[in-house]
PDB file of all heavy atoms in Angstrom:
ATOM      1  N   LEU A   1      -6.881 -16.187   1.569  1.00 92.00           N
ATOM      2  CA  LEU A   1      -7.072 -15.707   3.022  1.00 92.00           C
ATOM      3  C   LEU A   1      -7.886 -16.912   3.770  1.00 92.00           C
ATOM      4  O   LEU A   1      -8.750 -17.522   3.099  1.00 92.00           O
ATOM      5  CB  LEU A   1      -7.822 -14.374   3.118  1.00 92.00           C
ATOM      6  CG  LEU A   1      -7.058 -13.203   2.497  1.00 92.00           C
ATOM      7  CD1 LEU A   1      -8.108 -11.971   2.562  1.00 92.00           C
ATOM      8  CD2 LEU A   1      -5.822 -12.837   3.231  1.00 92.00           C
ATOM      9  N   GLY A   2      -7.685 -16.898   5.032  1.00 90.00           N
ATOM     10  CA  GLY A   2      -8.613 -17.767   5.842  1.00 90.00           C
ATOM     11  C   GLY A   2      -9.977 -17.308   5.932  1.00 90.00           C
ATOM     12  O   GLY A   2     -10.277 -16.166   5.424  1.00 90.00           O
ATOM     13  N   TYR A   3     -10.885 -18.127   6.459  1.00 93.00           N
ATOM     14  CA  TYR A   3     -12.183 -17.850   6.402  1.00 93.00           C
ATOM     15  C   TYR A   3     -12.627 -16.534   7.104  1.00 93.00           C
ATOM     16  O   TYR A   3     -13.337 -15.626   6.507  1.00 93.00           O
ATOM     17  CB  TYR A   3     -13.025 -18.931   7.161  1.00 93.00           C
ATOM     18  CG  TYR A   3     -14.474 -18.801   7.233  1.00 93.00           C
ATOM     19  CD1 TYR A   3     -15.309 -18.859   6.013  1.00 93.00           C
ATOM     20  CD2 TYR A   3     -15.120 -18.534   8.467  1.00 93.00           C
ATOM     21  CE1 TYR A   3     -16.680 -18.669   6.139  1.00 93.00           C
ATOM     22  CE2 TYR A   3     -16.525 -18.408   8.545  1.00 93.00           C
ATOM     23  CZ  TYR A   3     -17.301 -18.493   7.340  1.00 93.00           C
ATOM     24  OH  TYR A   3     -18.646 -18.338   7.440  1.00 93.00           O
ATOM     25  N   VAL A   4     -12.139 -16.362   8.297  1.00 95.00           N
ATOM     26  CA  VAL A   4     -12.495 -15.046   9.009  1.00 95.00           C
ATOM     27  C   VAL A   4     -11.829 -13.927   8.416  1.00 95.00           C
ATOM     28  O   VAL A   4     -12.522 -12.827   8.244  1.00 95.00           O
ATOM     29  CB  VAL A   4     -12.064 -15.136  10.525  1.00 95.00           C
ATOM     30  CG1 VAL A   4     -12.120 -13.863  11.312  1.00 95.00           C
ATOM     31  CG2 VAL A   4     -12.817 -16.287  11.275  1.00 95.00           C
ATOM     32  N   ASP A   5     -10.615 -14.010   7.938  1.00 95.00           N
ATOM     33  CA  ASP A   5      -9.877 -12.814   7.302  1.00 95.00           C
ATOM     34  C   ASP A   5     -10.652 -12.484   6.019  1.00 95.00           C
ATOM     35  O   ASP A   5     -10.800 -11.248   5.749  1.00 95.00           O
ATOM     36  CB  ASP A   5      -8.463 -13.139   7.152  1.00 95.00           C
ATOM     37  CG  ASP A   5      -7.558 -13.031   8.277  1.00 95.00           C
ATOM     38  OD1 ASP A   5      -8.069 -12.586   9.275  1.00 95.00           O
ATOM     39  OD2 ASP A   5      -6.391 -13.370   8.209  1.00 95.00           O
ATOM     40  N   PHE A   6     -11.011 -13.441   5.223  1.00 96.00           N
ATOM     41  CA  PHE A   6     -11.666 -13.149   3.908  1.00 96.00           C
ATOM     42  C   PHE A   6     -12.953 -12.528   4.142  1.00 96.00           C
ATOM     43  O   PHE A   6     -13.338 -11.440   3.513  1.00 96.00           O
ATOM     44  CB  PHE A   6     -11.751 -14.460   3.101  1.00 96.00           C
ATOM     45  CG  PHE A   6     -12.563 -14.185   1.782  1.00 96.00           C
ATOM     46  CD1 PHE A   6     -11.989 -13.549   0.795  1.00 96.00           C
ATOM     47  CD2 PHE A   6     -13.856 -14.624   1.702  1.00 96.00           C
ATOM     48  CE1 PHE A   6     -12.628 -13.310  -0.404  1.00 96.00           C
ATOM     49  CE2 PHE A   6     -14.599 -14.387   0.541  1.00 96.00           C
ATOM     50  CZ  PHE A   6     -13.959 -13.582  -0.496  1.00 96.00           C
ATOM     51  N   LEU A   7     -13.833 -13.032   5.070  1.00 97.00           N
ATOM     52  CA  LEU A   7     -15.157 -12.405   5.268  1.00 97.00           C
ATOM     53  C   LEU A   7     -14.993 -11.057   5.900  1.00 97.00           C
ATOM     54  O   LEU A   7     -15.877 -10.157   5.722  1.00 97.00           O
ATOM     55  CB  LEU A   7     -15.980 -13.371   6.106  1.00 97.00           C
ATOM     56  CG  LEU A   7     -16.600 -14.553   5.291  1.00 97.00           C
ATOM     57  CD1 LEU A   7     -17.561 -15.339   6.189  1.00 97.00           C
ATOM     58  CD2 LEU A   7     -17.424 -14.066   4.089  1.00 97.00           C
ATOM     59  N   SER A   8     -13.977 -10.908   6.763  1.00 98.00           N
ATOM     60  CA  SER A   8     -13.717  -9.547   7.348  1.00 98.00           C
ATOM     61  C   SER A   8     -13.378  -8.596   6.189  1.00 98.00           C
ATOM     62  O   SER A   8     -13.893  -7.413   6.172  1.00 98.00           O
ATOM     63  CB  SER A   8     -12.558  -9.619   8.335  1.00 98.00           C
ATOM     64  OG  SER A   8     -12.862 -10.449   9.521  1.00 98.00           O
ATOM     65  N   LEU A   9     -12.600  -8.947   5.257  1.00 98.00           N
ATOM     66  CA  LEU A   9     -12.297  -8.135   4.106  1.00 98.00           C
ATOM     67  C   LEU A   9     -13.490  -7.724   3.284  1.00 98.00           C
ATOM     68  O   LEU A   9     -13.692  -6.590   2.905  1.00 98.00           O
ATOM     69  CB  LEU A   9     -11.204  -8.813   3.260  1.00 98.00           C
ATOM     70  CG  LEU A   9     -10.581  -8.012   2.132  1.00 98.00           C
ATOM     71  CD1 LEU A   9      -9.651  -6.833   2.644  1.00 98.00           C
ATOM     72  CD2 LEU A   9      -9.752  -8.876   1.244  1.00 98.00           C
ATOM     73  N   VAL A  10     -14.355  -8.841   3.018  1.00 98.00           N
ATOM     74  CA  VAL A  10     -15.561  -8.609   2.351  1.00 98.00           C
ATOM     75  C   VAL A  10     -16.488  -7.669   3.044  1.00 98.00           C
ATOM     76  O   VAL A  10     -17.181  -6.821   2.445  1.00 98.00           O
ATOM     77  CB  VAL A  10     -16.237  -9.908   2.058  1.00 98.00           C
ATOM     78  CG1 VAL A  10     -17.649  -9.759   1.493  1.00 98.00           C
ATOM     79  CG2 VAL A  10     -15.410 -10.711   1.025  1.00 98.00           C
ATOM     80  N   ARG A  11     -16.606  -7.849   4.361  1.00 97.00           N
ATOM     81  CA  ARG A  11     -17.510  -7.020   5.205  1.00 97.00           C
ATOM     82  C   ARG A  11     -17.252  -5.517   5.066  1.00 97.00           C
ATOM     83  O   ARG A  11     -18.102  -4.722   5.127  1.00 97.00           O
ATOM     84  CB  ARG A  11     -17.491  -7.490   6.559  1.00 97.00           C
ATOM     85  CG  ARG A  11     -18.573  -6.944   7.472  1.00 97.00           C
ATOM     86  CD  ARG A  11     -18.587  -7.336   8.899  1.00 97.00           C
ATOM     87  NE  ARG A  11     -19.883  -7.064   9.506  1.00 97.00           N
ATOM     88  CZ  ARG A  11     -20.055  -7.466  10.819  1.00 97.00           C
ATOM     89  NH1 ARG A  11     -19.111  -8.063  11.537  1.00 97.00           N
ATOM     90  NH2 ARG A  11     -21.280  -7.203  11.373  1.00 97.00           N
ATOM     91  N   GLY A  12     -15.927  -5.247   4.841  1.00 97.00           N
ATOM     92  CA  GLY A  12     -15.496  -3.761   4.801  1.00 97.00           C
ATOM     93  C   GLY A  12     -15.530  -3.349   3.326  1.00 97.00           C
ATOM     94  O   GLY A  12     -15.138  -2.083   3.205  1.00 97.00           O
ATOM     95  N   ALA A  13     -15.817  -4.102   2.373  1.00 97.00           N
ATOM     96  CA  ALA A  13     -15.581  -3.699   1.022  1.00 97.00           C
ATOM     97  C   ALA A  13     -16.811  -2.842   0.434  1.00 97.00           C
ATOM     98  O   ALA A  13     -17.933  -3.023   0.924  1.00 97.00           O
ATOM     99  CB  ALA A  13     -15.569  -4.982   0.113  1.00 97.00           C
ATOM    100  N   ALA A  14     -16.518  -1.991  -0.447  1.00 97.00           N
ATOM    101  CA  ALA A  14     -17.594  -1.304  -1.201  1.00 97.00           C
ATOM    102  C   ALA A  14     -18.291  -2.084  -2.237  1.00 97.00           C
ATOM    103  O   ALA A  14     -19.344  -1.798  -2.648  1.00 97.00           O
ATOM    104  CB  ALA A  14     -16.949   0.001  -1.742  1.00 97.00           C
ATOM    105  N   LEU A  15     -17.527  -3.152  -2.712  1.00 97.00           N
ATOM    106  CA  LEU A  15     -18.032  -3.930  -3.797  1.00 97.00           C
ATOM    107  C   LEU A  15     -17.292  -5.205  -3.877  1.00 97.00           C
ATOM    108  O   LEU A  15     -16.102  -5.328  -3.481  1.00 97.00           O
ATOM    109  CB  LEU A  15     -17.768  -3.116  -5.057  1.00 97.00           C
ATOM    110  CG  LEU A  15     -18.039  -3.763  -6.475  1.00 97.00           C
ATOM    111  CD1 LEU A  15     -19.503  -4.000  -6.581  1.00 97.00           C
ATOM    112  CD2 LEU A  15     -17.602  -2.893  -7.554  1.00 97.00           C
ATOM    113  N   VAL A  16     -17.983  -6.305  -4.303  1.00 98.00           N
ATOM    114  CA  VAL A  16     -17.277  -7.565  -4.562  1.00 98.00           C
ATOM    115  C   VAL A  16     -17.491  -8.021  -6.045  1.00 98.00           C
ATOM    116  O   VAL A  16     -18.547  -7.860  -6.522  1.00 98.00           O
ATOM    117  CB  VAL A  16     -17.849  -8.674  -3.634  1.00 98.00           C
ATOM    118  CG1 VAL A  16     -17.327 -10.093  -4.010  1.00 98.00           C
ATOM    119  CG2 VAL A  16     -17.416  -8.392  -2.167  1.00 98.00           C
ATOM    120  N   LEU A  17     -16.359  -8.486  -6.748  1.00 98.00           N
ATOM    121  CA  LEU A  17     -16.366  -9.009  -8.003  1.00 98.00           C
ATOM    122  C   LEU A  17     -16.072 -10.491  -7.966  1.00 98.00           C
ATOM    123  O   LEU A  17     -15.123 -10.825  -7.296  1.00 98.00           O
ATOM    124  CB  LEU A  17     -15.338  -8.310  -8.928  1.00 98.00           C
ATOM    125  CG  LEU A  17     -15.084  -6.924  -8.726  1.00 98.00           C
ATOM    126  CD1 LEU A  17     -13.811  -6.461  -9.528  1.00 98.00           C
ATOM    127  CD2 LEU A  17     -16.258  -6.094  -9.070  1.00 98.00           C
ATOM    128  N   THR A  18     -16.961 -11.315  -8.485  1.00 96.00           N
ATOM    129  CA  THR A  18     -16.719 -12.800  -8.197  1.00 96.00           C
ATOM    130  C   THR A  18     -17.250 -13.626  -9.333  1.00 96.00           C
ATOM    131  O   THR A  18     -18.024 -13.227 -10.136  1.00 96.00           O
ATOM    132  CB  THR A  18     -17.433 -13.208  -6.831  1.00 96.00           C
ATOM    133  OG1 THR A  18     -16.977 -14.543  -6.479  1.00 96.00           O
ATOM    134  CG2 THR A  18     -18.896 -13.170  -6.970  1.00 96.00           C
ATOM    135  N   ASP A  19     -16.724 -14.839  -9.355  1.00 93.00           N
ATOM    136  CA  ASP A  19     -17.378 -15.951 -10.170  1.00 93.00           C
ATOM    137  C   ASP A  19     -17.593 -17.133  -9.236  1.00 93.00           C
ATOM    138  O   ASP A  19     -17.864 -18.217  -9.786  1.00 93.00           O
ATOM    139  CB  ASP A  19     -16.521 -16.304 -11.390  1.00 93.00           C
ATOM    140  CG  ASP A  19     -15.089 -16.630 -11.090  1.00 93.00           C
ATOM    141  OD1 ASP A  19     -14.717 -16.927  -9.897  1.00 93.00           O
ATOM    142  OD2 ASP A  19     -14.276 -16.754 -12.045  1.00 93.00           O
ATOM    143  N   SER A  20     -17.449 -16.951  -7.969  1.00 91.00           N
ATOM    144  CA  SER A  20     -17.723 -17.967  -6.999  1.00 91.00           C
ATOM    145  C   SER A  20     -19.257 -18.047  -6.621  1.00 91.00           C
ATOM    146  O   SER A  20     -20.031 -17.154  -6.742  1.00 91.00           O
ATOM    147  CB  SER A  20     -16.940 -17.695  -5.735  1.00 91.00           C
ATOM    148  OG  SER A  20     -17.280 -18.541  -4.627  1.00 91.00           O
ATOM    149  N   GLY A  21     -19.614 -19.283  -6.159  1.00 90.00           N
ATOM    150  CA  GLY A  21     -21.037 -19.569  -5.755  1.00 90.00           C
ATOM    151  C   GLY A  21     -21.186 -19.026  -4.287  1.00 90.00           C
ATOM    152  O   GLY A  21     -22.112 -18.232  -4.102  1.00 90.00           O
ATOM    153  N   GLY A  22     -20.428 -19.420  -3.418  1.00 92.00           N
ATOM    154  CA  GLY A  22     -20.604 -19.213  -2.044  1.00 92.00           C
ATOM    155  C   GLY A  22     -20.490 -17.696  -1.688  1.00 92.00           C
ATOM    156  O   GLY A  22     -21.358 -17.155  -0.880  1.00 92.00           O
ATOM    157  N   VAL A  23     -19.653 -16.969  -2.423  1.00 95.00           N
ATOM    158  CA  VAL A  23     -19.486 -15.458  -2.167  1.00 95.00           C
ATOM    159  C   VAL A  23     -20.826 -14.774  -2.493  1.00 95.00           C
ATOM    160  O   VAL A  23     -21.181 -13.766  -1.813  1.00 95.00           O
ATOM    161  CB  VAL A  23     -18.359 -14.963  -2.906  1.00 95.00           C
ATOM    162  CG1 VAL A  23     -18.318 -13.439  -2.802  1.00 95.00           C
ATOM    163  CG2 VAL A  23     -17.021 -15.567  -2.516  1.00 95.00           C
ATOM    164  N   GLN A  24     -21.573 -15.236  -3.423  1.00 95.00           N
ATOM    165  CA  GLN A  24     -22.825 -14.664  -3.739  1.00 95.00           C
ATOM    166  C   GLN A  24     -23.751 -14.690  -2.627  1.00 95.00           C
ATOM    167  O   GLN A  24     -24.543 -13.809  -2.252  1.00 95.00           O
ATOM    168  CB  GLN A  24     -23.497 -15.304  -4.949  1.00 95.00           C
ATOM    169  CG  GLN A  24     -22.696 -15.271  -6.202  1.00 95.00           C
ATOM    170  CD  GLN A  24     -23.259 -16.194  -7.320  1.00 95.00           C
ATOM    171  OE1 GLN A  24     -24.529 -16.209  -7.544  1.00 95.00           O
ATOM    172  NE2 GLN A  24     -22.461 -17.001  -7.840  1.00 95.00           N
ATOM    173  N   GLU A  25     -23.782 -15.804  -1.807  1.00 95.00           N
ATOM    174  CA  GLU A  25     -24.641 -15.970  -0.698  1.00 95.00           C
ATOM    175  C   GLU A  25     -24.101 -15.124   0.506  1.00 95.00           C
ATOM    176  O   GLU A  25     -24.861 -14.461   1.216  1.00 95.00           O
ATOM    177  CB  GLU A  25     -24.689 -17.444  -0.249  1.00 95.00           C
ATOM    178  CG  GLU A  25     -25.267 -18.314  -1.358  1.00 95.00           C
ATOM    179  CD  GLU A  25     -25.175 -19.794  -1.007  1.00 95.00           C
ATOM    180  OE1 GLU A  25     -24.191 -20.286  -0.273  1.00 95.00           O
ATOM    181  OE2 GLU A  25     -25.958 -20.551  -1.577  1.00 95.00           O
ATOM    182  N   GLU A  26     -22.783 -15.081   0.662  1.00 95.00           N
ATOM    183  CA  GLU A  26     -22.279 -14.372   1.819  1.00 95.00           C
ATOM    184  C   GLU A  26     -22.416 -12.882   1.689  1.00 95.00           C
ATOM    185  O   GLU A  26     -22.796 -12.211   2.711  1.00 95.00           O
ATOM    186  CB  GLU A  26     -20.714 -14.718   1.970  1.00 95.00           C
ATOM    187  CG  GLU A  26     -20.623 -16.143   2.523  1.00 95.00           C
ATOM    188  CD  GLU A  26     -19.201 -16.715   2.179  1.00 95.00           C
ATOM    189  OE1 GLU A  26     -18.419 -16.228   1.324  1.00 95.00           O
ATOM    190  OE2 GLU A  26     -18.738 -17.699   2.842  1.00 95.00           O
ATOM    191  N   THR A  27     -22.316 -12.378   0.503  1.00 94.00           N
ATOM    192  CA  THR A  27     -22.450 -10.879   0.296  1.00 94.00           C
ATOM    193  C   THR A  27     -24.042 -10.583   0.429  1.00 94.00           C
ATOM    194  O   THR A  27     -24.365  -9.475   0.878  1.00 94.00           O
ATOM    195  CB  THR A  27     -21.970 -10.439  -1.132  1.00 94.00           C
ATOM    196  OG1 THR A  27     -22.563 -11.387  -2.169  1.00 94.00           O
ATOM    197  CG2 THR A  27     -20.486 -10.506  -1.195  1.00 94.00           C
ATOM    198  N   THR A  28     -24.862 -11.532   0.040  1.00 92.00           N
ATOM    199  CA  THR A  28     -26.247 -11.292   0.198  1.00 92.00           C
ATOM    200  C   THR A  28     -26.597 -11.066   1.695  1.00 92.00           C
ATOM    201  O   THR A  28     -27.311 -10.186   2.083  1.00 92.00           O
ATOM    202  CB  THR A  28     -27.060 -12.505  -0.314  1.00 92.00           C
ATOM    203  OG1 THR A  28     -27.120 -12.505  -1.671  1.00 92.00           O
ATOM    204  CG2 THR A  28     -28.482 -12.522   0.214  1.00 92.00           C
ATOM    205  N   MET A  29     -26.074 -11.895   2.603  1.00 92.00           N
ATOM    206  CA  MET A  29     -26.320 -11.690   4.064  1.00 92.00           C
ATOM    207  C   MET A  29     -25.489 -10.525   4.624  1.00 92.00           C
ATOM    208  O   MET A  29     -26.008  -9.971   5.667  1.00 92.00           O
ATOM    209  CB  MET A  29     -25.858 -12.999   4.733  1.00 92.00           C
ATOM    210  CG  MET A  29     -26.700 -14.217   4.270  1.00 92.00           C
ATOM    211  SD  MET A  29     -28.573 -13.926   4.330  1.00 92.00           S
ATOM    212  CE  MET A  29     -28.788 -13.888   6.049  1.00 92.00           C
ATOM    213  N   LEU A  30     -24.405 -10.111   4.057  1.00 93.00           N
ATOM    214  CA  LEU A  30     -23.661  -9.017   4.628  1.00 93.00           C
ATOM    215  C   LEU A  30     -24.037  -7.700   4.100  1.00 93.00           C
ATOM    216  O   LEU A  30     -23.639  -6.634   4.541  1.00 93.00           O
ATOM    217  CB  LEU A  30     -22.139  -9.260   4.360  1.00 93.00           C
ATOM    218  CG  LEU A  30     -21.481 -10.384   5.120  1.00 93.00           C
ATOM    219  CD1 LEU A  30     -20.043 -10.549   4.615  1.00 93.00           C
ATOM    220  CD2 LEU A  30     -21.515 -10.094   6.636  1.00 93.00           C
ATOM    221  N   GLY A  31     -24.932  -7.688   3.009  1.00 91.00           N
ATOM    222  CA  GLY A  31     -25.376  -6.492   2.330  1.00 91.00           C
ATOM    223  C   GLY A  31     -24.295  -5.673   1.521  1.00 91.00           C
ATOM    224  O   GLY A  31     -24.381  -4.527   1.451  1.00 91.00           O
ATOM    225  N   VAL A  32     -23.391  -6.548   1.046  1.00 95.00           N
ATOM    226  CA  VAL A  32     -22.281  -5.903   0.193  1.00 95.00           C
ATOM    227  C   VAL A  32     -22.696  -6.091  -1.267  1.00 95.00           C
ATOM    228  O   VAL A  32     -22.965  -7.263  -1.718  1.00 95.00           O
ATOM    229  CB  VAL A  32     -20.999  -6.566   0.482  1.00 95.00           C
ATOM    230  CG1 VAL A  32     -19.893  -5.990  -0.372  1.00 95.00           C
ATOM    231  CG2 VAL A  32     -20.581  -6.395   1.946  1.00 95.00           C
ATOM    232  N   PRO A  33     -22.620  -5.094  -2.091  1.00 95.00           N
ATOM    233  CA  PRO A  33     -22.997  -5.177  -3.556  1.00 95.00           C
ATOM    234  C   PRO A  33     -22.049  -6.203  -4.198  1.00 95.00           C
ATOM    235  O   PRO A  33     -20.900  -6.181  -3.925  1.00 95.00           O
ATOM    236  CB  PRO A  33     -22.697  -3.833  -4.090  1.00 95.00           C
ATOM    237  CG  PRO A  33     -22.845  -2.863  -2.965  1.00 95.00           C
ATOM    238  CD  PRO A  33     -22.283  -3.636  -1.731  1.00 95.00           C
ATOM    239  N   CYS A  34     -22.745  -7.150  -4.941  1.00 96.00           N
ATOM    240  CA  CYS A  34     -21.862  -8.246  -5.526  1.00 96.00           C
ATOM    241  C   CYS A  34     -22.166  -8.309  -7.003  1.00 96.00           C
ATOM    242  O   CYS A  34     -23.325  -8.268  -7.399  1.00 96.00           O
ATOM    243  CB  CYS A  34     -22.225  -9.603  -4.850  1.00 96.00           C
ATOM    244  SG  CYS A  34     -21.452 -10.976  -5.636  1.00 96.00           S
ATOM    245  N   LEU A  35     -21.111  -8.283  -7.816  1.00 98.00           N
ATOM    246  CA  LEU A  35     -21.318  -8.491  -9.304  1.00 98.00           C
ATOM    247  C   LEU A  35     -20.603  -9.813  -9.725  1.00 98.00           C
ATOM    248  O   LEU A  35     -19.450  -9.976  -9.514  1.00 98.00           O
ATOM    249  CB  LEU A  35     -20.537  -7.305 -10.002  1.00 98.00           C
ATOM    250  CG  LEU A  35     -21.074  -5.938  -9.712  1.00 98.00           C
ATOM    251  CD1 LEU A  35     -20.164  -4.784 -10.396  1.00 98.00           C
ATOM    252  CD2 LEU A  35     -22.522  -5.741 -10.100  1.00 98.00           C
ATOM    253  N   THR A  36     -21.507 -10.688 -10.194  1.00 98.00           N
ATOM    254  CA  THR A  36     -21.049 -12.041 -10.478  1.00 98.00           C
ATOM    255  C   THR A  36     -20.717 -12.049 -11.880  1.00 98.00           C
ATOM    256  O   THR A  36     -21.704 -11.903 -12.768  1.00 98.00           O
ATOM    257  CB  THR A  36     -22.087 -13.097 -10.016  1.00 98.00           C
ATOM    258  OG1 THR A  36     -22.322 -13.050  -8.597  1.00 98.00           O
ATOM    259  CG2 THR A  36     -21.696 -14.458 -10.412  1.00 98.00           C
ATOM    260  N   ILE A  37     -19.569 -12.422 -12.305  1.00 97.00           N
ATOM    261  CA  ILE A  37     -19.114 -12.326 -13.610  1.00 97.00           C
ATOM    262  C   ILE A  37     -19.377 -13.677 -14.295  1.00 97.00           C
ATOM    263  O   ILE A  37     -18.479 -14.588 -14.580  1.00 97.00           O
ATOM    264  CB  ILE A  37     -17.557 -11.912 -13.738  1.00 97.00           C
ATOM    265  CG1 ILE A  37     -17.341 -10.796 -12.856  1.00 97.00           C
ATOM    266  CG2 ILE A  37     -17.274 -11.620 -15.206  1.00 97.00           C
ATOM    267  CD1 ILE A  37     -15.867 -10.597 -12.461  1.00 97.00           C
ATOM    268  N   ARG A  38     -20.617 -14.031 -14.534  1.00 95.00           N
ATOM    269  CA  ARG A  38     -21.040 -15.314 -15.157  1.00 95.00           C
ATOM    270  C   ARG A  38     -22.387 -15.071 -15.850  1.00 95.00           C
ATOM    271  O   ARG A  38     -23.172 -14.158 -15.422  1.00 95.00           O
ATOM    272  CB  ARG A  38     -21.260 -16.380 -14.062  1.00 95.00           C
ATOM    273  CG  ARG A  38     -20.040 -16.931 -13.392  1.00 95.00           C
ATOM    274  CD  ARG A  38     -20.286 -17.839 -12.221  1.00 95.00           C
ATOM    275  NE  ARG A  38     -21.307 -18.740 -12.512  1.00 95.00           N
ATOM    276  CZ  ARG A  38     -21.852 -19.506 -11.509  1.00 95.00           C
ATOM    277  NH1 ARG A  38     -21.365 -19.502 -10.309  1.00 95.00           N
ATOM    278  NH2 ARG A  38     -22.775 -20.423 -11.845  1.00 95.00           N
ATOM    279  N   PRO A  39     -22.703 -15.833 -16.852  1.00 95.00           N
ATOM    280  CA  PRO A  39     -23.985 -15.639 -17.513  1.00 95.00           C
ATOM    281  C   PRO A  39     -25.157 -16.277 -16.800  1.00 95.00           C
ATOM    282  O   PRO A  39     -26.329 -16.109 -17.182  1.00 95.00           O
ATOM    283  CB  PRO A  39     -23.704 -16.395 -18.967  1.00 95.00           C
ATOM    284  CG  PRO A  39     -22.778 -17.466 -18.582  1.00 95.00           C
ATOM    285  CD  PRO A  39     -21.788 -16.812 -17.543  1.00 95.00           C
ATOM    286  N   ASN A  40     -24.865 -17.158 -15.778  1.00 95.00           N
ATOM    287  CA  ASN A  40     -25.949 -17.719 -14.999  1.00 95.00           C
ATOM    288  C   ASN A  40     -25.526 -17.998 -13.639  1.00 95.00           C
ATOM    289  O   ASN A  40     -24.269 -17.768 -13.279  1.00 95.00           O
ATOM    290  CB  ASN A  40     -26.225 -19.119 -15.768  1.00 95.00           C
ATOM    291  CG  ASN A  40     -25.012 -19.903 -15.959  1.00 95.00           C
ATOM    292  OD1 ASN A  40     -24.250 -20.222 -15.037  1.00 95.00           O
ATOM    293  ND2 ASN A  40     -24.779 -20.335 -17.257  1.00 95.00           N
ATOM    294  N   THR A  41     -26.423 -18.361 -12.735  1.00 96.00           N
ATOM    295  CA  THR A  41     -26.024 -18.720 -11.422  1.00 96.00           C
ATOM    296  C   THR A  41     -26.914 -19.782 -10.902  1.00 96.00           C
ATOM    297  O   THR A  41     -28.106 -19.878 -11.264  1.00 96.00           O
ATOM    298  CB  THR A  41     -26.162 -17.549 -10.372  1.00 96.00           C
ATOM    299  OG1 THR A  41     -25.850 -18.036  -9.076  1.00 96.00           O
ATOM    300  CG2 THR A  41     -27.516 -16.926 -10.408  1.00 96.00           C
ATOM    301  N   GLU A  42     -26.399 -20.824 -10.160  1.00 95.00           N
ATOM    302  CA  GLU A  42     -27.221 -21.849  -9.563  1.00 95.00           C
ATOM    303  C   GLU A  42     -27.837 -21.330  -8.279  1.00 95.00           C
ATOM    304  O   GLU A  42     -28.435 -22.093  -7.557  1.00 95.00           O
ATOM    305  CB  GLU A  42     -26.324 -23.097  -9.302  1.00 95.00           C
ATOM    306  CG  GLU A  42     -25.187 -22.948  -8.332  1.00 95.00           C
ATOM    307  CD  GLU A  42     -23.935 -22.075  -8.985  1.00 95.00           C
ATOM    308  OE1 GLU A  42     -23.947 -21.881 -10.131  1.00 95.00           O
ATOM    309  OE2 GLU A  42     -23.080 -21.785  -8.145  1.00 95.00           O
ATOM    310  N   ARG A  43     -27.499 -20.066  -7.935  1.00 95.00           N
ATOM    311  CA  ARG A  43     -28.043 -19.503  -6.678  1.00 95.00           C
ATOM    312  C   ARG A  43     -28.964 -18.246  -7.111  1.00 95.00           C
ATOM    313  O   ARG A  43     -28.593 -17.101  -6.666  1.00 95.00           O
ATOM    314  CB  ARG A  43     -26.956 -19.115  -5.725  1.00 95.00           C
ATOM    315  CG  ARG A  43     -26.172 -20.267  -5.268  1.00 95.00           C
ATOM    316  CD  ARG A  43     -24.826 -19.916  -4.601  1.00 95.00           C
ATOM    317  NE  ARG A  43     -24.197 -20.962  -3.844  1.00 95.00           N
ATOM    318  CZ  ARG A  43     -23.506 -21.919  -4.396  1.00 95.00           C
ATOM    319  NH1 ARG A  43     -23.167 -21.981  -5.747  1.00 95.00           N
ATOM    320  NH2 ARG A  43     -23.001 -22.859  -3.618  1.00 95.00           N
ATOM    321  N   PRO A  44     -29.981 -18.420  -7.795  1.00 95.00           N
ATOM    322  CA  PRO A  44     -30.755 -17.208  -8.216  1.00 95.00           C
ATOM    323  C   PRO A  44     -31.376 -16.460  -7.023  1.00 95.00           C
ATOM    324  O   PRO A  44     -31.766 -15.310  -7.203  1.00 95.00           O
ATOM    325  CB  PRO A  44     -31.851 -17.792  -9.145  1.00 95.00           C
ATOM    326  CG  PRO A  44     -32.007 -19.266  -8.779  1.00 95.00           C
ATOM    327  CD  PRO A  44     -30.629 -19.679  -8.317  1.00 95.00           C
TER     328      PRO A  44
END
């Protein structure tokens, strides 16, 4: 999805599952629960 469409979808979500870096930051600011499927993160 494009930038606006993707973040709109995330904004309305009950939950995000990701292994992406930037999504961890975006969900932090949007207040959406995020589960990062990785053993570590460069964005603690």
Side-chain angles (χ1 to χ4, degrees):
L1 299 171
Y3 179 69
V4 171
D5 281 352
F6 175 72
L7 284 184
S8 295
L9 188 68
V10 167
R11 191 178 197 180
L15 177 65
V16 169
L17 325 170
T18 191
D19 56 14
S20 167
V23 174
Q24 299 171 46
E25 297 172 334
E26 290 160 341
T27 52
T28 283
M29 299 307 292
L30 291 172
V32 177
C34 179
L35 299 176
T36 297
I37 314 162
R38 287 172 48 187
N40 50 55
T41 178
E42 64 284 349
R43 294 166 168 85

